């Protein structure tokens, strides 16, 4: 996965060299999935998934609904259990339950499709709750950090409001700030723009692109091709619980190798 | 008519009707307080990730909820106090009162538990997932995120349980709390049968006056404190 030195001769054929952000150096493996399997009853939703995400990498997971991409994303911080195989974050295998799991989850930021801001708490309290209760940060420090983060995602002036008073796009940006407040090693985005009105999609994507440019490790389940092209190092295409294809975004969108991916792309790109 | 009313009024001098109502209010207050604590603990058990705790919670609710309160109250006095000789207070009055409170509390805790669980059902699953995702384990997530929203969603059913508890506090008679309303009414009718309807109306009206504000208040609170989503 080393992409610091573009090889001469055949750059286009190399897996990572022609990624739009190929000047960045990817670090050590951060999230590792080994032979992960999961069933929902009869349905085999994750079939022998092997995937490594490196420090600083932005990975976009794409695929038709029901392909297992959300399940994959949720399994990484064990909101979904897996039947067998292993998932490790920063070298530590996901614990079963209890304190160790909570600790590990604190280091994995999660952004949900439906925002899931704590409905009974103000925007500011949403962002300070984790640092205070999980990290033991003082109220003053947590609020200072929260205000910085809220400014960064462009909702600094909404700090005193309740989530229900915000637009979807604003709520999702608060949710990103809440996840960032834990200073996570990796950020998971589970279809972060799918529940948004079209005019609010970009304000959220802009925040995500900025985050990617700062070198955050990100796993993003999305259908936003623009984001994938602009910010992703690698696109993983899933269908029927399997990883069908992996490629740099430009390569994937212009010349998908598998029939399944070509079919999927033709359906979403023809409009 | 005037003779009847003045006769009824003179009964109020001889019998401590207000004191009887005050006893039921006290029984209700302490019973509700303990039932709320116990019921919350039971609700936590029933939604916990530990299967054995869930089982214990479910067993408690199903047993206590389906046992007649009179049976529980009689057991408190005949079983806990007379047979097992568990000492709860120095005077008879305090003993019976406390046993009645415990009886009311353990019975209504089952209903409080189910009310809170219905409140938990008003909290979207995503709230719990978001809480877990920032690294809160079960108890902190329940305390900080789930229960505060669940209580707001459970105010109406909790209010109904409180109303039931207030009315059921008269069953304290079965635990020998002979100075509460039902027992007082029984004595009054027994010795003044010519005022039968007046005495009944007095106690019935007393409860209506106590119960209606609880219903109004809880309805108002449940709307005012509803979590905006």
């Amino acid at each position: 996965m080393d992409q610091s030195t573009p090889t001469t001769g055949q750059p286009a054929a190399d897996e990572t060299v022609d990624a739009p952000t190929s000047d960045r150096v990817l670090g050590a493996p951060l999230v590792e999935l080994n032979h992960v399997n999961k069933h929902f009853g009869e349905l085999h939703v994750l079939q022998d998934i092997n995937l490594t995400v490196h420090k600083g990498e932005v990975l976009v997971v794409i695929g038709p609904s029901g392909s297992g991409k959300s399940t994959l994303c949720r399994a990484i911080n064990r909101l979904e259990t897996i039947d067998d195989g292993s998932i490790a974050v920063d070298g530590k295998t996901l614990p079963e339950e209890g304190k160790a799991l909570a600790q590990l989850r604190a280091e994995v930021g999660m952004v949900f499709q439906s925002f899931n801001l704590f409905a009974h708490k103000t925007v500011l309290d949403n962002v300070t709750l984790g640092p205070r209760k999980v990290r033991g940060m003082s109220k003053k420090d947590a609020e200072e950090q929260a205000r910085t983060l809220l400014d960064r995602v462009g909702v600094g002036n909404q700090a005193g409001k309740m989530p229900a008073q915000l637009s979807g796009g604003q709520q999702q940006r608060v949710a990103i700030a809440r996840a960032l407040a834990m200073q996570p090693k990796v950020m998971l985005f589970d279809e972060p723009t799918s529940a948004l009105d079209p005019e609010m999609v970009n304000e959220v994507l802009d925040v995500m692109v900025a985050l990617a440019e700062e070198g955050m490790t990100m796993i993003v389940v999305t259908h936003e091709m623009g984001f994938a092209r602009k910010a992703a190092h690698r696109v993983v295409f899933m269908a029927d619980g399997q990883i069908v294809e992996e490629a740099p975004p430009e390569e994937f969108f212009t010349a998908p190798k598998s029939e399944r991916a070509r079919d999927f792309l033709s359906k979403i790109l023809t409009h | 008519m005037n003779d009847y009313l003045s006769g009824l009024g003179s009964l109020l001098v001889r019998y401590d009707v207000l004191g009887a109502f005050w006893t039921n209010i006290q029984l209700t207050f302490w019973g509700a307080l303990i039932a709320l604590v116990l019921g919350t603990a039971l609700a936590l058990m029933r939604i916990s990730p530990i299967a054995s705790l869930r089982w214990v919670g479910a067993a408690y609710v199903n047993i206590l909820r389906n046992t007649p309160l009179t049976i529980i109250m009689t057991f408190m006095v005949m079983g806990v106090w007379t047979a097992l000789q568990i000492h709860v207070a120095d005077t008879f009055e305090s003993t019976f009162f406390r046993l009645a409170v415990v009886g009311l509390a353990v019975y209504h805790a089952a209903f409080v538990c189910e009310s809170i669980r219905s409140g938990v059902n008003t909290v979207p699953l995503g709230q719990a997932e978001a809480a877990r995702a920032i690294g809160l384990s079960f108890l902190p997530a329940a305390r900080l995120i789930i229960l505060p929203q669940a209580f707001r969603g459970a105010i109406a059913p909790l209010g109904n349980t409180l109303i039931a508890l207030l009315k059921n506090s008269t069953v304290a008679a079965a635990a020998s709390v002979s100075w509460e309303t039902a027992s007082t009414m029984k004595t009054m009718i027994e010795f003044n049968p010519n005022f039968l309807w007046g005495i009944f109306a007095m106690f019935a009206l007393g409860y209506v006056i106590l119960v209606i504000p609880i219903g109004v208040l809880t309805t108002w609170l449940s709307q005012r404190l509803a979590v905006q989503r």
Side-chain angles (χ1 to χ4, degrees):
Chain A
M1 290 306 292
D2 179 21
Q3 54 178 196
S4 54
T5 49
T7 44
T8 51
Q10 39 172 340
D14 188 284
E15 192 180 296
T16 50
V17 163
D18 61 346
T21 43
S22 62
D23 52 328
R24 270 195 274 158
V25 185
L26 293 181
L30 187 58
V31 178
E32 292 163 282
L33 289 84
N34 277 307
H35 302 289
V36 171
N37 280 288
K38 177 172 180 71
H39 295 78
F40 280 132
E42 289 287 288
L43 208 61
H44 199 170
V45 284
L46 294 178
Q47 301 180 21
D48 195 36
I49 301 290
N50 292 289
L51 185 67
T52 303
V53 183
H54 295 254
K55 213 164 262 174
E57 186 176 7
V58 177
L59 179 81
V60 160
V61 184
I62 207 167
S65 64
S67 60
K69 55 195 194 306
S70 271
T71 309
L72 176 76
C73 186
R74 290 162 56 82
I76 293 171
N77 66 354
R78 214 170 184 279
L79 288 176
E80 298 285 354
T81 55
I82 54 174
D83 299 340
D84 57 59
S86 73
I87 299 177
V89 176
D90 206 14
K92 280 174 280 185
T93 306
L94 281 190
E96 286 285 305
E97 262 302 330
K99 279 236 153 56
L101 177 63
Q103 234 158 44
L104 195 128
R105 277 181 178 143
E107 310 201 318
V108 179
M110 178 96 189
V111 175
F112 300 88
Q113 182 177 349
S114 48
F115 331 134
N116 294 345
L117 291 180
F118 303 132
H120 63 309
K121 295 202 172 286
T122 63
V123 164
L124 188 68
D125 287 346
N126 262 277
V127 184
T128 58
L129 189 128
R132 290 183 61 195
K133 302 295 177 182
V134 178
R135 297 259 190 254
M137 200 184 273
S138 75
K139 186 168 189 237
K140 187 175 154 285
D141 290 350
E143 286 188 356
E144 208 172 271
Q145 179 195 248
R147 289 189 191 280
T148 310
L149 286 169
L150 289 172
D151 282 338
R152 187 163 136 199
V153 299
V155 287
N157 53 346
Q158 314 285 344
K161 288 192 181 167
M162 301 302 282
Q165 296 172 285
L166 268 54
S167 73
Q170 289 171 325
Q171 287 193 51
Q172 193 60 300
R173 285 182 284 152
V174 173
I176 293 173
R178 175 176 69 180
L180 288 175
M182 298 304 292
Q183 295 157 3
K185 290 176 177 158
V186 51
M187 287 278 282
L188 308 174
F189 292 83
D190 186 6
E191 303 208 28
T193 57
S194 301
L196 294 174
D197 289 336
E199 76 268 27
M200 291 169 185
V201 168
N202 279 334
E203 63 191 52
V204 172
L205 290 180
D206 287 346
V207 169
M208 290 168 62
V209 170
L211 205 55
E213 280 165 358
E214 285 162 29
M216 174 62 78
T217 311
M218 295 163 69
I219 299 173
V220 186
V221 175
T222 187
H223 288 155
E224 298 294 337
M225 308 298 156
F227 172 80
R229 284 197 144 112
K230 206 186 285 181
H233 296 94
R234 186 157 52 123
V235 171
V236 164
F237 176 72
M238 282 186 80
D240 304 320
Q242 290 169 322
I243 293 180
V244 178
E245 196 169 334
E246 284 181 64
E250 213 46 57
E251 187 182 317
F252 176 77
F253 291 122
T254 50
K257 291 191 201 80
S258 64
E259 182 57 43
R260 199 78 179 73
R262 272 197 295 276
D263 181 53
F264 175 73
L265 287 174
S266 74
K267 277 175 187 152
I268 62 169
L269 292 177
T270 45
H271 291 287
Chain B
M1 185 66 192
N2 270 340
D3 285 353
Y4 187 86
L5 283 181
S6 66
L8 200 60
S10 74
L11 285 184
L12 286 175
V13 181
R14 276 190 284 149
Y15 298 94
D16 189 6
V17 175
L18 282 181
F21 272 106
W22 179 236
T23 301
N24 286 85
I25 291 170
Q26 285 178 305
L27 284 167
T28 304
F29 177 80
W30 293 112
L33 202 66
I34 299 171
L36 189 63
V37 174
L38 188 56
T40 306
L42 286 166
L44 276 175
M45 288 167 89
R46 292 205 72 174
I47 61 169
S48 85
I50 302 164
S52 55
L53 284 183
R54 283 200 302 272
W55 190 89
V56 171
Y60 181 100
V61 167
N62 283 311
I63 292 168
L64 269 292
R65 188 174 53 179
N66 295 314
T67 307
L69 182 56
T70 317
I71 299 288
I72 294 172
M73 290 302 219
T74 309
F75 179 81
M76 291 309 293
V77 173
M78 300 311 290
V80 174
W81 186 64
T82 313
L84 299 174
Q85 302 201 319
I86 292 170
H87 182 85
V88 291
D90 290 327
T91 62
F92 283 128
E93 277 206 0
S94 307
T95 300
F96 295 144
F97 181 86
R98 288 181 190 180
L99 289 171
V101 165
V102 173
L104 286 168
V106 295
Y107 175 74
H108 289 92
F111 295 89
V112 168
C113 167
E114 295 305 273
S115 298
I116 292 174
R117 253 176 13 112
S118 80
V120 170
N121 285 337
T122 68
V123 183
L125 186 62
Q127 297 285 306
E129 290 188 342
R132 283 150 72 196
I134 59 168
L136 294 171
S137 45
F138 172 72
L139 273 180
R143 185 170 62 84
L144 298 166
I145 307 301
I146 307 304
L147 285 182
Q149 297 184 56
F151 273 114
R152 289 159 171 231
I155 291 172
L158 282 173
N160 288 338
T161 306
L162 180 62
I163 289 169
L165 171 52
L166 174 61
K167 295 191 286 183
N168 287 342
S169 69
T170 54
V171 184
S176 306
V177 183
S178 58
W179 57 99
E180 57 79 49
T181 46
S183 315
T184 305
M185 185 183 84
K186 187 174 161 229
T187 315
M188 286 170 77
I189 290 174
E190 208 174 331
F191 292 100
N192 309 278
N194 46 331
F195 291 110
L196 172 68
W197 293 105
I199 292 167
F200 173 72
M202 198 154 65
F203 283 95
L205 200 66
Y207 274 100
V208 169
I209 289 169
L210 285 176
V211 166
I212 285 178
I214 299 177
V216 172
L217 187 72
T218 51
T219 305
W220 179 75
L221 274 179
S222 70
Q223 281 161 4
R224 199 183 141 76
L225 296 179
V227 180
Q228 302 296 318
R229 300 192 192 282

